[in-house]
C-alpha cells in the first residue's frame, strides 16, 4: 500500500488498482474512491468494501503523524 501526502494538502492511498483520495477543506473531509479500469477510472461509493483496507491505512497514517 502506498500513501502520499500531496502538495495541495490531500492524502492519497493506493493499492493495486484502487485509489482513495481524502481532501480536507476547512475541517470538511471529502473522500474520493476510484478504480483504475485500464482505459478509464470508475468512481465508486465510499462504502464499497474493497476500499475498507485503504481507509484503515489512511486512519493509521494520520494517527502516526
Amino acid at each position: 500500500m502506498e500513501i502520499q501526502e500531496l502538495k495541495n494538502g490531500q492524502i492519497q492511498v493506493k493499492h493495486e488498482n484502487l485509489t482513495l483520495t481524502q481532501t480536507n477543506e476547512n475541517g470538511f473531509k471529502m473522500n474520493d474512491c476510484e478504480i483504475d479500469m485500464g482505459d478509464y477510472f470508475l468512481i465508486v461509493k465510499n462504502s464499497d468494501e474493497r476500499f475498507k483496507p485503504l481507509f484503515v491505512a489512511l486512519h493509521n497514517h494520520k494517527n502516526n503523524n
Side-chain angles (χ1 to χ4, degrees):
M1 205 151 319
E2 178 185 335
I3 301 173
Q4 294 180 330
E5 293 190 23
L6 306 177
K7 291 180 182 179
N8 59 3
Q10 292 178 315
I11 300 175
Q12 193 171 69
V13 182
K14 292 184 176 187
H15 181 66
E16 296 176 353
N17 67 332
L18 306 177
T19 302
L20 165 64
T21 305
Q22 185 176 78
T23 305
N24 187 348
E25 288 193 24
N26 301 323
F28 182 72
K29 294 180 180 143
M30 296 169 279
N31 299 306
D32 298 310
C33 298
E34 299 176 340
I35 302 173
D36 184 348
M37 302 299 286
D39 295 337
Y40 61 95
F41 288 90
L42 180 64
I43 299 171
V44 297
K45 293 182 179 184
N46 297 339
S47 60
D48 189 309
E49 286 293 317
R50 294 172 283 189
F51 285 86
K52 190 173 185 175
L54 281 73
F55 277 103
V56 170
L58 174 66
H59 177 74
N60 289 339
H61 174 77
K62 289 168 62 175
N63 283 338
N64 289 333
N65 286 337

Coordinates of all heavy atoms in Angstrom, one line a residue:
M1 N 0.9 -1.2 0.0 CA 0.0 0.0 0.0 C 0.9 1.2 0.0 O 1.9 1.3 0.7 CB -0.9 0.0 1.2 CG -2.1 0.7 1.0 SD -3.6 0.3 1.9 CE -3.7 -1.5 1.9
E2 N 0.6 2.2 -0.8 CA 1.3 3.4 -1.0 C 0.5 4.6 -0.5 O -0.6 4.8 -0.9 CB 1.7 3.6 -2.4 CG 2.5 4.8 -2.7 CD 2.7 5.0 -4.2 OE1 2.7 4.0 -5.0 OE2 2.9 6.2 -4.6
I3 N 1.1 5.4 0.4 CA 0.4 6.6 1.0 C 1.3 7.8 0.6 O 2.5 7.8 0.9 CB 0.2 6.5 2.5 CG1 -0.6 5.2 2.8 CG2 -0.5 7.7 3.0 CD1 -0.7 4.9 4.3
Q4 N 0.6 8.8 0.1 CA 1.3 10.1 -0.3 C 0.5 11.2 0.3 O -0.7 11.3 0.2 CB 1.4 10.2 -1.8 CG 2.3 9.3 -2.5 CD 2.3 9.6 -4.0 OE1 1.3 10.1 -4.6 NE2 3.4 9.2 -4.6
E5 N 1.3 12.2 0.8 CA 0.7 13.5 1.1 C 1.0 14.4 0.0 O 2.1 14.7 -0.3 CB 1.2 14.0 2.5 CG 0.8 13.1 3.6 CD 1.1 13.7 5.0 OE1 1.3 15.0 5.1 OE2 1.2 13.0 5.9
L6 N 0.0 14.9 -0.7 CA 0.1 15.7 -1.9 C 0.3 17.2 -1.5 O 0.0 17.6 -0.4 CB -1.1 15.6 -2.8 CG -1.4 14.1 -3.2 CD1 -2.7 14.1 -4.1 CD2 -0.3 13.5 -3.9
K7 N 0.9 17.9 -2.4 CA 1.2 19.3 -2.1 C 0.0 20.2 -1.8 O 0.1 21.2 -1.1 CB 2.0 19.9 -3.3 CG 3.3 19.4 -3.5 CD 4.0 20.0 -4.7 CE 5.4 19.4 -5.0 NZ 6.0 20.0 -6.1
N8 N -1.1 19.8 -2.3 CA -2.3 20.6 -2.0 C -3.1 20.2 -0.7 O -4.2 20.6 -0.5 CB -3.3 20.5 -3.2 CG -3.7 19.0 -3.5 OD1 -3.3 18.1 -2.8 ND2 -4.5 18.9 -4.5
G9 N -2.4 19.4 0.1 CA -3.0 19.0 1.4 C -3.8 17.7 1.4 O -4.3 17.3 2.4
Q10 N -4.0 17.2 0.2 CA -4.7 15.9 0.1 C -3.8 14.8 0.5 O -2.6 14.8 0.5 CB -5.1 15.7 -1.3 CG -6.2 16.6 -1.8 CD -6.5 16.3 -3.3 OE1 -5.7 16.1 -4.1 NE2 -7.8 16.3 -3.6
I11 N -4.4 13.7 0.9 CA -3.7 12.4 1.2 C -4.3 11.4 0.3 O -5.5 11.2 0.2 CB -3.9 12.0 2.7 CG1 -3.4 13.1 3.7 CG2 -3.2 10.7 3.0 CD1 -3.7 12.8 5.1
Q12 N -3.4 10.7 -0.3 CA -3.8 9.7 -1.3 C -3.2 8.3 -0.9 O -2.1 8.2 -0.6 CB -3.3 10.1 -2.7 CG -3.9 9.3 -3.8 CD -3.5 9.9 -5.2 OE1 -2.3 9.8 -5.5 NE2 -4.4 10.5 -5.8
V13 N -4.1 7.3 -0.9 CA -3.8 5.9 -0.6 C -4.0 5.1 -1.9 O -5.1 5.1 -2.4 CB -4.6 5.4 0.6 CG1 -4.1 4.0 0.9 CG2 -4.5 6.3 1.8
K14 N -3.0 4.3 -2.3 CA -3.2 3.5 -3.5 C -2.8 2.0 -3.1 O -1.9 1.8 -2.4 CB -2.2 3.9 -4.6 CG -2.6 5.3 -5.2 CD -1.7 5.6 -6.3 CE -2.1 6.9 -7.0 NZ -1.3 7.1 -8.2
H15 N -3.6 1.1 -3.7 CA -3.3 -0.3 -3.5 C -3.9 -1.0 -4.8 O -5.1 -0.9 -5.1 CB -4.0 -0.9 -2.3 CG -3.7 -2.3 -2.1 ND1 -2.5 -2.8 -1.8 CD2 -4.6 -3.4 -2.2 CE1 -2.5 -4.1 -1.7 NE2 -3.8 -4.5 -1.9
E16 N -2.9 -1.6 -5.5 CA -3.3 -2.3 -6.8 C -4.0 -1.3 -7.7 O -3.4 -0.3 -8.0 CB -4.1 -3.5 -6.5 CG -3.3 -4.6 -5.8 CD -4.1 -5.8 -5.4 OE1 -5.4 -5.9 -5.7 OE2 -3.5 -6.8 -5.0
N17 N -5.2 -1.5 -8.1 CA -5.9 -0.6 -9.0 C -6.9 0.3 -8.3 O -7.7 1.0 -8.9 CB -6.6 -1.3 -10.1 CG -7.8 -2.1 -9.6 OD1 -7.8 -2.6 -8.5 ND2 -8.7 -2.4 -10.5
L18 N -6.8 0.4 -6.9 CA -7.7 1.2 -6.1 C -7.0 2.5 -5.6 O -5.8 2.4 -5.2 CB -8.2 0.5 -4.9 CG -8.8 -0.9 -5.1 CD1 -9.2 -1.6 -3.8 CD2 -10.1 -0.7 -6.0
T19 N -7.7 3.6 -5.7 CA -7.1 4.9 -5.2 C -8.2 5.6 -4.3 O -9.3 5.8 -4.7 CB -6.7 5.8 -6.3 OG1 -5.8 5.2 -7.1 CG2 -6.1 7.1 -5.8
L20 N -7.8 5.9 -3.1 CA -8.6 6.7 -2.2 C -7.9 8.1 -2.0 O -6.7 8.1 -1.6 CB -8.7 6.0 -0.8 CG -9.2 6.8 0.4 CD1 -10.6 7.3 0.2 CD2 -9.0 6.0 1.7
T21 N -8.6 9.1 -2.2 CA -8.0 10.5 -2.0 C -8.9 11.2 -1.0 O -10.1 11.3 -1.2 CB -8.0 11.3 -3.4 OG1 -7.3 10.5 -4.3 CG2 -7.3 12.6 -3.2
Q22 N -8.3 11.7 0.0 CA -9.0 12.5 1.0 C -8.6 14.0 0.9 O -7.4 14.3 1.0 CB -8.8 12.0 2.4 CG -9.6 12.7 3.5 CD -9.5 12.2 4.9 OE1 -8.5 12.5 5.5 NE2 -10.5 11.4 5.3
T23 N -9.6 14.8 0.8 CA -9.4 16.3 0.8 C -10.0 16.9 2.1 O -11.1 16.5 2.4 CB -10.1 16.9 -0.4 OG1 -9.6 16.2 -1.6 CG2 -9.8 18.4 -0.5
N24 N -9.2 17.7 2.7 CA -9.7 18.4 4.0 C -9.8 19.9 3.7 O -8.7 20.5 3.6 CB -8.8 18.0 5.1 CG -9.4 18.5 6.4 OD1 -10.3 19.3 6.5 ND2 -8.8 18.1 7.5
E25 N -11.0 20.4 3.6 CA -11.1 21.9 3.4 C -11.9 22.4 4.5 O -13.1 22.1 4.7 CB -11.8 22.1 2.1 CG -11.0 21.9 0.9 CD -11.5 22.4 -0.4 OE1 -12.3 23.4 -0.3 OE2 -11.2 21.9 -1.5
N26 N -11.3 23.3 5.3 CA -11.9 23.9 6.5 C -12.6 22.9 7.4 O -13.7 23.2 7.9 CB -12.9 25.0 6.0 CG -12.3 26.0 5.1 OD1 -11.2 26.4 5.4 ND2 -13.0 26.5 4.1
G27 N -11.9 21.8 7.6 CA -12.4 20.8 8.5 C -13.5 19.8 7.9 O -13.9 18.9 8.6
F28 N -13.9 20.1 6.7 CA -14.8 19.2 6.0 C -14.0 18.2 5.2 O -13.2 18.6 4.3 CB -15.7 20.1 5.1 CG -16.8 19.3 4.4 CD1 -17.8 18.7 5.1 CD2 -16.7 19.1 3.0 CE1 -18.8 17.9 4.4 CE2 -17.7 18.3 2.4 CZ -18.7 17.8 3.1
K29 N -14.2 16.9 5.4 CA -13.4 15.9 4.7 C -14.2 15.3 3.6 O -15.4 14.9 3.8 CB -13.0 14.8 5.7 CG -12.0 15.4 6.7 CD -11.5 14.3 7.7 CE -10.5 15.0 8.6 NZ -10.6 14.5 10.0
M30 N -13.6 15.2 2.4 CA -14.2 14.6 1.3 C -13.3 13.4 0.8 O -12.1 13.6 0.7 CB -14.4 15.6 0.1 CG -15.3 16.7 0.5 SD -15.2 18.1 -0.7 CE -13.7 18.9 -0.2
N31 N -13.9 12.3 0.6 CA -13.2 11.1 0.2 C -13.7 10.7 -1.2 O -14.9 10.5 -1.4 CB -13.5 9.9 1.2 CG -13.0 10.2 2.6 OD1 -11.9 10.6 2.8 ND2 -13.9 10.1 3.6
D32 N -12.7 10.5 -2.1 CA -13.0 10.0 -3.4 C -12.4 8.7 -3.6 O -11.2 8.5 -3.4 CB -12.4 11.0 -4.5 CG -13.0 12.4 -4.4 OD1 -14.3 12.5 -4.3 OD2 -12.3 13.4 -4.3
C33 N -13.2 7.7 -4.1 CA -12.7 6.3 -4.3 C -12.8 6.0 -5.8 O -13.8 6.2 -6.4 CB -13.6 5.4 -3.5 SG -13.5 5.6 -1.8
E34 N -11.6 5.6 -6.4 CA -11.6 5.4 -7.8 C -11.0 4.0 -8.1 O -10.1 3.6 -7.3 CB -10.7 6.4 -8.5 CG -11.2 7.8 -8.4 CD -10.2 8.8 -9.1 OE1 -9.0 8.4 -9.3 OE2 -10.7 9.9 -9.4
I35 N -11.4 3.3 -9.1 CA -10.9 2.1 -9.5 C -10.3 2.3 -10.9 O -11.1 2.7 -11.8 CB -11.9 0.9 -9.5 CG1 -12.5 0.8 -8.1 CG2 -11.3 -0.4 -10.0 CD1 -13.7 -0.2 -8.1
D36 N -9.1 2.0 -11.1 CA -8.4 2.1 -12.4 C -8.8 0.9 -13.3 O -8.4 -0.2 -13.0 CB -6.9 2.2 -12.3 CG -6.2 2.4 -13.6 OD1 -6.8 2.3 -14.7 OD2 -5.0 2.7 -13.5
M37 N -9.6 1.1 -14.3 CA -10.1 0.0 -15.1 C -9.3 -0.1 -16.4 O -9.6 -0.9 -17.3 CB -11.6 0.3 -15.5 CG -12.5 0.4 -14.3 SD -12.6 -1.0 -13.3 CE -13.6 -2.1 -14.3
G38 N -8.1 0.5 -16.4 CA -7.2 0.5 -17.6 C -7.5 1.6 -18.6 O -6.7 2.5 -18.7
D39 N -8.6 1.6 -19.2 CA -9.0 2.7 -20.2 C -9.7 3.8 -19.5 O -9.8 4.9 -20.1 CB -9.9 2.1 -21.3 CG -9.2 1.1 -22.1 OD1 -7.9 1.1 -22.2 OD2 -9.8 0.3 -22.8
Y40 N -10.2 3.6 -18.3 CA -11.0 4.7 -17.6 C -10.9 4.5 -16.1 O -10.5 3.4 -15.6 CB -12.4 4.7 -18.1 CG -13.2 3.5 -17.9 CD1 -14.0 3.3 -16.7 CD2 -13.1 2.4 -18.7 CE1 -14.7 2.2 -16.5 CE2 -13.8 1.2 -18.5 CZ -14.6 1.1 -17.4 OH -15.3 -0.1 -17.1
F41 N -11.4 5.5 -15.4 CA -11.4 5.3 -13.9 C -12.9 5.3 -13.5 O -13.7 6.1 -14.0 CB -10.8 6.6 -13.2 CG -9.3 6.5 -13.3 CD1 -8.7 7.2 -14.4 CD2 -8.5 5.9 -12.4 CE1 -7.3 7.1 -14.5 CE2 -7.2 5.9 -12.4 CZ -6.5 6.5 -13.5
L42 N -13.2 4.3 -12.7 CA -14.6 4.2 -12.2 C -14.7 4.8 -10.8 O -13.9 4.4 -9.9 CB -14.9 2.7 -12.1 CG -16.3 2.3 -11.7 CD1 -17.4 2.8 -12.6 CD2 -16.4 0.8 -11.6
I43 N -15.6 5.7 -10.6 CA -15.7 6.4 -9.3 C -16.8 5.6 -8.5 O -17.9 5.3 -9.1 CB -16.1 7.8 -9.4 CG1 -15.0 8.6 -10.1 CG2 -16.4 8.4 -8.1 CD1 -15.3 10.0 -10.5
V44 N -16.5 5.1 -7.3 CA -17.5 4.3 -6.6 C -17.8 5.0 -5.2 O -17.1 5.9 -4.8 CB -16.9 2.9 -6.3 CG1 -16.7 2.2 -7.7 CG2 -15.6 2.9 -5.6
K45 N -18.8 4.5 -4.5 CA -19.2 5.0 -3.2 C -18.1 4.7 -2.2 O -17.4 3.6 -2.3 CB -20.5 4.4 -2.8 CG -21.7 4.8 -3.6 CD -22.9 4.2 -3.1 CE -24.1 4.6 -4.0 NZ -25.4 4.1 -3.4
N46 N -18.0 5.5 -1.2 CA -17.1 5.3 -0.1 C -17.4 4.0 0.7 O -16.5 3.5 1.4 CB -17.1 6.5 0.9 CG -16.7 7.8 0.3 OD1 -16.0 7.8 -0.7 ND2 -17.1 8.9 0.9
S47 N -18.6 3.6 0.6 CA -19.0 2.4 1.4 C -18.6 1.1 0.7 O -18.8 0.0 1.2 CB -20.5 2.4 1.6 OG -21.2 2.4 0.4
D48 N -18.0 1.2 -0.5 CA -17.5 0.0 -1.2 C -16.5 -0.8 -0.4 O -15.5 -0.3 0.0 CB -16.9 0.4 -2.5 CG -16.6 -0.8 -3.5 OD1 -16.0 -1.8 -3.0 OD2 -17.0 -0.7 -4.6
E49 N -16.8 -2.0 -0.1 CA -16.0 -2.9 0.8 C -14.5 -3.0 0.4 O -13.6 -3.2 1.2 CB -16.6 -4.3 1.0 CG -17.8 -4.3 1.8 CD -17.5 -4.0 3.3 OE1 -16.5 -4.5 3.8 OE2 -18.3 -3.2 3.9
R50 N -14.3 -2.9 -0.9 CA -12.9 -3.0 -1.4 C -12.0 -1.9 -0.9 O -10.8 -2.1 -0.9 CB -12.9 -3.0 -3.0 CG -13.6 -4.2 -3.6 CD -13.7 -4.1 -5.1 NE -14.8 -3.1 -5.4 CZ -15.3 -2.9 -6.6 NH1 -14.8 -3.5 -7.6 NH2 -16.3 -2.1 -6.7
F51 N -12.6 -0.8 -0.5 CA -11.8 0.3 0.0 C -11.6 0.3 1.5 O -10.8 1.2 2.0 CB -12.4 1.7 -0.4 CG -12.2 1.9 -1.9 CD1 -13.1 1.4 -2.8 CD2 -11.1 2.6 -2.3 CE1 -12.9 1.6 -4.2 CE2 -10.9 2.9 -3.7 CZ -11.8 2.3 -4.6
K52 N -12.2 -0.6 2.2 CA -12.0 -0.7 3.7 C -10.5 -0.7 4.1 O -10.1 0.1 5.0 CB -12.8 -1.8 4.2 CG -12.9 -1.8 5.7 CD -13.8 -2.9 6.2 CE -14.0 -2.8 7.7 NZ -15.0 -3.8 8.2
P53 N -9.7 -1.5 3.5 CA -8.3 -1.5 3.9 C -7.6 -0.2 3.6 O -6.7 0.2 4.4 CB -7.6 -2.7 3.1 CG -8.8 -3.5 2.6 CD -10.0 -2.6 2.6
L54 N -8.0 0.5 2.6 CA -7.4 1.8 2.3 C -7.8 2.8 3.4 O -6.9 3.7 3.8 CB -7.8 2.3 0.9 CG -7.0 1.6 -0.2 CD1 -7.4 0.2 -0.5 CD2 -7.2 2.4 -1.5
F55 N -9.0 2.8 3.8 CA -9.5 3.7 4.9 C -8.7 3.4 6.2 O -8.3 4.3 6.9 CB -11.0 3.6 5.1 CG -11.8 4.5 4.1 CD1 -12.4 3.9 3.1 CD2 -11.8 5.8 4.3 CE1 -13.1 4.7 2.2 CE2 -12.6 6.6 3.4 CZ -13.2 6.0 2.3
V56 N -8.5 2.1 6.5 CA -7.7 1.7 7.7 C -6.3 2.3 7.6 O -5.8 2.9 8.5 CB -7.8 0.2 7.9 CG1 -6.8 -0.2 9.0 CG2 -9.2 -0.3 8.2
A57 N -5.7 2.1 6.4 CA -4.3 2.6 6.2 C -4.3 4.1 6.3 O -3.3 4.7 6.9 CB -3.8 2.2 4.8
L58 N -5.3 4.8 5.8 CA -5.3 6.3 5.9 C -5.5 6.7 7.4 O -4.7 7.6 7.9 CB -6.5 6.8 5.1 CG -6.8 8.3 5.3 CD1 -5.7 9.2 4.7 CD2 -8.1 8.7 4.6
H59 N -6.3 6.0 8.1 CA -6.5 6.3 9.5 C -5.2 6.1 10.3 O -4.8 6.9 11.1 CB -7.7 5.5 10.1 CG -7.9 5.6 11.5 ND1 -8.5 6.7 12.1 CD2 -7.6 4.8 12.6 CE1 -8.6 6.6 13.4 NE2 -8.0 5.5 13.7
N60 N -4.6 5.0 10.1 CA -3.3 4.7 10.8 C -2.2 5.7 10.4 O -1.5 6.1 11.3 CB -2.8 3.3 10.4 CG -3.7 2.2 11.1 OD1 -4.4 2.5 12.0 ND2 -3.7 1.0 10.5
H61 N -2.2 6.1 9.2 CA -1.2 7.1 8.8 C -1.4 8.4 9.5 O -0.5 9.0 10.0 CB -1.3 7.3 7.2 CG -0.4 8.4 6.7 ND1 1.0 8.2 6.6 CD2 -0.7 9.7 6.3 CE1 1.5 9.4 6.1 NE2 0.5 10.2 6.0
K62 N -2.7 8.9 9.6 CA -3.0 10.1 10.2 C -2.7 10.1 11.7 O -2.3 11.1 12.3 CB -4.4 10.5 9.9 CG -4.6 10.9 8.4 CD -6.0 11.0 8.0 CE -6.8 12.1 8.8 NZ -8.2 12.3 8.3
N63 N -2.9 8.9 12.3 CA -2.6 8.8 13.8 C -1.1 8.7 14.1 O -0.7 9.0 15.2 CB -3.3 7.6 14.3 CG -4.8 7.8 14.5 OD1 -5.2 8.9 14.6 ND2 -5.5 6.7 14.5
N64 N -0.3 8.4 13.1 CA 1.1 8.3 13.3 C 1.8 9.6 13.0 O 3.0 9.8 13.4 CB 1.8 7.2 12.4 CG 1.4 5.8 12.9 OD1 1.1 5.6 14.0 ND2 1.4 4.9 11.9
N65 N 1.1 10.6 12.4 CA 1.7 11.9 12.1 C 1.4 12.9 13.2 O 0.5 12.9 13.9 CB 1.2 12.4 10.8 CG 1.9 11.7 9.7 OD1 3.0 11.1 9.8 ND2 1.3 11.7 8.5

